[in-house]
């Protein structure tokens, strides 16, 4: 392999694509190495913010475990292949399965980094279309699917997600998000702790509802513990107060909103007294929050993954939007608003389209959403014989063995596939099952424009990043890989990502171009969010739907929760500032310090267990062994374990991660627990029991 040329000494600017904050960063290069990384103070969105992961970008680039050439599995070992040979082989194997068993026999799973990488995002679609399978899975159904469901039902499109106008609000109500650790999600707002401080400094309130007193609680003006999975009841309780006390005001949306009466009726049974015992939030707190939120001039409710990955995800996200609407806080400054990105994926969207329920999964009959099926069904679709059984799998930037419920079960199912290919730069817990791994160039080596996250940003800006490091002769970028496969399957490669970007930017709201973005390496500022309703709505009648029929029909399921028995102990997740789902545990500088894969347990649930002791945690699905930390920060009856660990599986080529292996929380989560409305996995609220581990117990594989 010839060594790639090195970047010349100097200062370079590019955005970090690791998380949704898309911070602008400043890289100093000396002698072909990055010698300094810091936040770019001139980025109009991130204004100098950086987190420890951004600092670790050069480590990812230099990671000796990162793959650069295709690998084919031969028994227990791997051999390198030339790119053309690898692409020929993969296309032939996929075609053979498709020809013999039909397109649905070839499934795909697209993981989180594929939306953080414009090359992948803009070129994987044509390849998946060429396969033509209904068995398309993504990380969305273990994440934000309920947001899209609510967006489609209420505003007419899955991407019409109202975003907190954090910089102008005086009342920020947060449910089930921990931006101090996650850096914000479905709210691209780099430097969230500073933005929350600014709310406090202008006399505003930051209110947090979470089963755990999180890092974000330290930046809030008040915190209330809430029992997992009960947010929809709490929100109905708030709406009940608003209607009973005649506090509703729709403002400029009054003339374009349907369903106010139906929502009023829906909320009628849920008085604060009725929901308080189940939610664990006192009735007077619910009443006070409802009144203050309704009276506040500028307020916004924001619910994130804690509300999505539970059994009532769809209802919860609906009710967060509904609360903003009935208090006049949608589409107004300081409320929840719709961004206007320079490359606007909604430009060509048609009003009145159907986005879900057009077909269902073969085995369990769970609904499709936006041409995806719920990923909780993957293992059963692989293991259940019959017409349409999945026999081949393509994974793209995903690690479902660690990221989806009953990962251990999926792990076993993957071993039974006729063929599997992974487009991924690492040999990890999932890709070890592949017959071929095709590793794309990534990170500092690729050009990037954030197609997705500008749609969710708290300010309208645009930024294009040039590659910092040149490619090695035998490396390939994603569109070369996807284009190469598509061409072999269809005879046509599809247009390169930059051509699509150029077109989108040219026809977008600011009529810009890649050249103009290149001339502004810190990004271009298009200003704060602006009201845009009803023009931006994509519902068939052009109106906001406050009480969609699908949501109302799901209410009886929620109602049953009022009388349901409460499990003695349930499990929720946890994120740490230095983590990024499953794939950044191979970076020494992020793994320093005490182990993070620990079970947090309230003293009331400790029953003699002590911090540091190994415990076995058991659910319906499996058992893991981890150290316990006894802490008041998690409420009684709730335990918390981070996701993304469990790196000690055989054959994983992640030297540093294996030394901090931990156990996978998704060996406990249950694919049988779903939000029946949306098909999203209910990762949180899993009933568990905890015992002292027998002496000498090893972490579960
Ligand atoms: N219990 C529990 N489970 C969860 C969650 C939780 O809170 N609790 N969170 C869920 C959420 S929100 C998400 S988004 C998912 C994430 O789950 P996934 O999307 O399945 O997995 P990641 O851990 O993000 O793994 C990303 C994979 O992409 C690869 N990769 C990195 N960069 C690139 C690139 O540029 N190109 C390509 N082709 N590959 C790349 C990495 O090597 C890795 O294999 O996990 C979900 N699982
Ligand atoms: N450092 C770091 N940053 C990340 C990631 C990472 O792995 N590490 N992952 C990225 C990804 S893919 C995503 S999707 C985002 C997610 O971003 P966030 O949504 O901010 O993610 P979390 O930190 O998991 O916060 C969810 C909170 O919900 C709480 N919770 C759990 N169950 C319930 C419930 O039933 N009700 C309520 N009200 N709260 C509940 C949890 O205790 C937790 O504090 O983060 C992104 N950023
Ligand atoms: S907050 Fe997110 S985008 Fe910003 S530096 Fe950290 S990982 Fe990168
Ligand atoms: Mo996510």
């Amino acid at each position: 392999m010839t060594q790639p040329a090195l970047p010349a000494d100097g200062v370079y600017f590019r955005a970090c694509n690791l998380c949704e904050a898309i911070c602008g960063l400043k890289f100093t290069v000396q002698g072909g190495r990055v010698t300094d990384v810091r936040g770019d103070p001139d980025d109009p969105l991130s204004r100098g913010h950086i987190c420890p992961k951004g600092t670790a970008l050069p480590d990812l680039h230099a990671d000796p475990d990162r793959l650069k050439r295709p690998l084919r599995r031969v028994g227990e070992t791997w051999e390198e292949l030339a790119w053309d040979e690898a692409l020929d082989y993969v296309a032939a194997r996929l075609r053979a399965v498709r020809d013999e068993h039909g397109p649905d026999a070839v499934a795909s799973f697209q993981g989180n980094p594929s939306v953080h990488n414009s090359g992948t995002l803009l070129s994987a679609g044509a390849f998946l279309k060429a396969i033509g399978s209904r068995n398309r899975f993504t990380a969305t159904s273990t994440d934000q699917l309920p947001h899209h469901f609510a967006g489609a039902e209420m505003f007419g499109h899955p991407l019409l997600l109202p975003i907190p106008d954090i910089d102008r609000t005086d009342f920020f109500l947060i449910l089930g998000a921990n931006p101090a650790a996650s850096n914000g999600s479905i709210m691209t707002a780099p430097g969230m702790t500073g933005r929350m401080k600014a709310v406090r400094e202008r006399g505003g309130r930051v209110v947090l509802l979470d089963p755990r007193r999180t890092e974000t609680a330290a930046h809030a003006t008040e915190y209330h513990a809430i029992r997992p999975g009960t947010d929809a009841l709490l929100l109905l309780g708030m709406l009940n107060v608003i209607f009973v006390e005649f506090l509703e005001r729709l403002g400029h949306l009054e003339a374009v909103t349907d369903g106010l009466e139906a929502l009023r009726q829906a909320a009628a049974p849920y008085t604060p007294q009725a929901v308080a015992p189940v939610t664990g939030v006192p009735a007077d707190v619910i009443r006070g929050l409802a009144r203050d939120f309704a009276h506040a001039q500028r307020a916004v409710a924001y619910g994130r993954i804690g509300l999505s990955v539970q059994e009532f995800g769809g209802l919860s996200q609906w009710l967060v939007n509904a609360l903003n609407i009935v208090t006049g806080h949608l589409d107004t400054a300081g409320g929840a608003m719709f961004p206007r990105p320079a490359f606007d994926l909604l430009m060509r969207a048609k009003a009145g389209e159907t986005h879900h329920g057009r077909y269902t999964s073969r085995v369990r009959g769970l609904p499709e959403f936006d041409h995806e099926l719920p990923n909780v069904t993957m293992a059963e679709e692989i293991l259940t014989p019959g017409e349409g059984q999945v026999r081949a799998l393509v994974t793209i930037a995903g690690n479902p063995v660690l990221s989806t419920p009953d990962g251990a079960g999926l792990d076993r199912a993957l071993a039974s596939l006729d063929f599997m290919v992974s487009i991924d730069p690492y040999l990890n817990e999932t890709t070890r099952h592949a017959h071929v791994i095709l590793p794309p160039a990534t990170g500092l080596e690729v050009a990037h424009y954030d197609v997705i996250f500008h749609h969710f940003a708290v300010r309208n800006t645009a930024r294009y990043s040039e590659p910092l490091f040149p490619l090695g002769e035998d490396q390939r970028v994603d569109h070369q890989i996807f284009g190469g496969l598509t061409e072999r399957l269809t005879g046509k490669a599809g247009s390169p990502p930059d051509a699509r970007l150029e077109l989108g930017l040219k026809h977008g709201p600011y009529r810009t171009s890649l050249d103009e973005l290149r001339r502004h390496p810190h990004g271009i500022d298009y200003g704060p969010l602006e009201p845009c309703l009803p023009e931006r709505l994509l519902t068939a009648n052009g109106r906001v739907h406050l009480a969609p029929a699908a949501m109302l029909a799901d209410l009886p399921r929620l109602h049953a929760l009022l009388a349901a028995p409460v499990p003695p102990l349930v499990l929720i997740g946890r994120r740490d500032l230095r983590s990024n789902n499953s794939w950044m545990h191979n970076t020494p500088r992020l793994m320093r310090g005490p182990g993070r894969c620990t079970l947090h347990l309230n003293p009331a649930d400790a029953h003699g267990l002590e911090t540091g002791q190994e415990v076995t945690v058991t659910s319906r699905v499996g058992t893991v062994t981890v150290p316990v930390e006894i802490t008041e920060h998690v409420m009684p009856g709730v335990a918390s374990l981070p996701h993304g660990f469990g790196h000690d599986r055989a054959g994983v080529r992640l030297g540093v991660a294996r030394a901090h292996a931990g156990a996978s929380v998704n060996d406990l989560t249950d694919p049988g627990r779903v939000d029946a409305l949306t098909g999203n996995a209910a990762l949180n609220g899993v009933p568990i029991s905890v015992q002292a581990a027998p002496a000498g117990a090893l972490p579960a594989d």
Side-chain angles (χ1 to χ4, degrees):
M1 175 187 175
T2 42
Q3 287 302 317
L6 294 170
D9 285 5
V11 172
Y12 298 82
F13 296 94
R14 59 173 285 141
C16 175
N17 69 331
L18 291 172
C19 90
E20 297 177 42
I22 60 173
C23 300
L25 303 184
K26 177 181 171 189
F27 295 83
T28 305
V29 172
Q30 273 171 343
R33 282 183 47 246
V34 175
T35 53
D36 187 60
V37 189
R38 54 190 67 205
D40 175 1
D42 297 322
D43 182 300
L45 182 62
S46 64
R47 305 182 299 209
H49 182 68
I50 184 169
C51 86
K53 291 193 294 282
T55 315
L57 277 168
D59 303 359
L60 283 174
H61 178 75
D63 186 346
D65 287 330
R66 184 160 71 94
L67 308 175
K68 298 193 173 153
R69 277 167 278 181
L71 291 182
R72 174 160 56 190
R73 186 151 50 83
V74 186
E76 298 289 291
T77 60
W78 295 85
E79 65 176 24
E80 283 190 358
L81 287 182
W83 276 101
D84 277 340
E85 191 187 352
L87 295 175
D88 286 345
Y89 179 72
V90 169
R93 292 291 302 264
L94 292 176
R95 189 186 290 113
V97 176
R98 192 184 60 180
D99 289 352
E100 190 177 346
H101 302 288
D104 292 346
V106 184
S108 60
F109 178 87
Q110 266 182 290
N112 172 276
S114 54
V115 291
H116 290 277
N117 179 324
S118 49
T120 310
L121 187 84
L122 296 172
S123 60
F127 165 60
L128 295 176
K129 203 168 161 204
I131 292 176
S133 174
R134 282 188 168 185
N135 283 312
R136 281 180 69 166
F137 306 99
T138 77
T140 292
S141 50
T142 38
D143 187 350
Q144 81 287 5
L145 173 51
H147 293 253
H148 298 311
F149 193 96
E153 285 288 332
M154 302 180 78
F155 311 117
H157 196 278
L159 285 177
L160 279 176
L161 307 181
I163 307 304
D165 186 16
I166 173 79
D167 296 338
R168 290 183 288 184
T169 200
D170 298 325
F171 192 141
F172 186 35
L173 174 63
I174 312 173
L175 301 103
N178 186 9
S182 71
N183 283 305
S185 181
I186 311 200
M187 176 182 62
T188 287
M192 267 306 290
T193 56
R195 292 177 201 262
M196 288 189 284
K197 185 170 173 223
V199 177
R200 295 195 311 272
E201 283 177 352
R202 52 181 182 262
R205 280 167 75 182
V206 179
V207 179
L208 176 69
L209 287 134
D210 195 301
R212 188 170 76 88
R213 186 183 278 272
T214 61
E215 296 77 357
T216 298
H219 301 274
T221 50
E222 69 196 77
Y223 162 76
H224 304 284
I226 180 167
R227 275 201 37 236
T230 64
D231 305 85
L233 289 174
L234 176 114
L235 291 159
L236 281 167
M238 289 180 69
L239 286 166
N240 177 285
V241 174
I242 286 163
F243 286 125
V244 166
E245 301 187 2
F246 304 108
L247 299 177
E248 75 271 21
R249 56 179 170 109
L250 271 61
H252 73 298
L253 297 180
E254 183 154 10
V256 292
T257 300
D258 289 339
L260 185 64
E261 205 37 52
L263 183 68
R264 186 196 314 274
Q265 280 172 28
Y270 300 97
T271 59
Q273 303 89 292
V275 300
V278 188
T279 58
V281 182
D284 58 335
V285 171
I286 299 174
R287 213 173 283 115
L289 283 177
R291 288 175 186 153
D292 294 350
F293 190 84
H295 285 301
Q297 188 70 31
R298 305 189 297 178
V300 61
Y302 163 68
R304 190 45 197 108
I305 200 169
L307 268 65
S308 286
V309 294
Q310 53 152 291
E311 284 174 301
F312 303 101
L315 290 182
S316 298
Q317 297 302 349
W318 163 49
L319 292 166
V320 167
N321 290 341
L323 180 63
N324 285 324
I325 296 168
V326 301
T327 51
H329 297 315
L330 182 78
D331 197 41
T332 54
M337 303 189 79
F338 296 101
R340 256 296 159 93
F343 181 165
D344 185 356
L345 289 170
L346 295 181
M347 283 241 312
R348 284 163 60 193
K350 289 191 211 73
E353 284 195 272
T354 304
H355 294 280
H356 58 85
R358 287 160 290 195
Y359 48 92
T360 55
S361 70
R362 178 181 65 109
V363 177
R364 213 192 305 182
L366 288 180
E368 158 271 350
F369 184 89
D370 229 13
H371 304 290
E372 293 180 17
L373 286 166
N375 68 39
V376 293
T377 66
M378 263 190 304
E380 69 204 27
E381 293 296 333
I382 294 171
L383 295 174
T384 312
E387 176 128 7
Q389 180 182 5
V390 169
R391 292 161 192 276
L393 176 66
V394 182
T395 71
I396 300 166
N399 191 1
V401 165
L402 295 191
S403 70
T404 64
D406 191 19
L410 181 68
D411 205 352
R412 291 188 293 274
L414 295 184
S416 73
L417 288 166
D418 290 351
F419 183 67
M420 175 167 158
V421 54
S422 293
I423 294 132
D424 200 291
Y426 283 103
L427 206 180
N428 63 20
E429 300 74 15
T430 295
T431 62
R432 71 193 176 122
H433 291 290
H435 295 85
V436 177
I437 302 177
L438 301 173
T442 178
L444 301 180
E445 295 160 346
V446 296
H448 183 63
Y449 169 85
D450 223 297
V451 175
I452 295 295
F453 295 103
H454 285 299
H455 287 78
F456 306 148
V458 299
R459 190 175 180 88
N460 293 317
T461 67
R463 178 167 187 150
Y464 181 75
S465 301
E466 307 266 22
L468 176 53
F469 284 95
L471 289 193
E473 197 174 277
D474 41 8
Q475 282 185 279
R476 296 290 181 273
V477 293
D478 12 42
H479 74 264
Q480 294 174 303
I481 299 172
F482 290 112
L485 292 171
T486 309
E487 190 166 18
R488 283 163 174 83
L489 291 171
T490 65
K492 286 191 295 241
S495 50
D498 274 4
R500 294 192 50 197
L501 276 177
E502 195 68 273
L503 207 65
L505 293 170
K506 184 175 158 199
H507 296 288
Y510 315 109
R511 309 249 178 258
T512 181
S513 66
L514 285 178
D515 266 349
E516 192 182 3
L517 294 185
R518 283 193 186 100
R519 283 195 297 273
H520 294 83
H522 308 288
I524 300 180
D525 190 9
Y526 299 113
L529 307 185
E530 281 175 15
C532 61
L533 297 193
E535 293 76 25
R536 203 155 161 79
L537 292 172
L538 285 163
T539 47
N541 65 0
R543 297 166 66 82
V544 173
H545 296 174
L546 200 42
M551 310 302 196
L552 297 178
D554 198 35
L555 279 173
R557 199 169 61 89
L558 177 69
H559 198 78
L561 189 63
L562 285 175
V566 177
L569 190 62
V570 297
L571 186 63
I572 61 168
R574 190 166 85 234
R575 281 175 163 76
D576 179 274
L577 188 59
R578 291 158 300 164
S579 77
N580 198 22
N581 301 317
S582 77
W583 72 279
M584 286 188 63
H585 295 152
N586 212 42
T587 314
R589 89 166 77 204
L590 295 177
M591 298 312 285
R592 280 186 211 129
R596 267 172 264 152
C597 188
T598 57
L599 186 80
H600 286 187
L601 200 60
N602 186 275
D605 301 305
H607 304 301
L609 297 172
E610 285 175 24
T611 293
Q613 193 176 345
E614 297 272 308
V615 293
T616 58
V617 187
T618 306
S619 72
R620 185 189 78 82
V621 169
T623 298
V624 300
T625 303
V626 287
V628 70
E629 265 182 74
I630 308 299
T631 165
E632 299 270 1
H633 283 177
V634 63
M635 72 189 286
V638 178
S640 143
L641 190 63
H643 74 289
F645 286 91
H647 303 296
D648 53 355
R649 286 156 160 90
V652 169
R653 199 183 285 178
L654 296 166
V656 177
R658 289 188 74 109
H660 305 266
S664 177
V665 68
N666 286 319
D667 291 348
L668 297 171
T669 54
D670 186 341
R673 296 184 73 251
V674 287
D675 172 17
L677 176 60
T678 64
N680 203 71
L683 302 168
N684 285 345
V686 181
I688 53 163
S689 61
V690 179
Q691 280 90 33
L698 292 169
D701 185 3

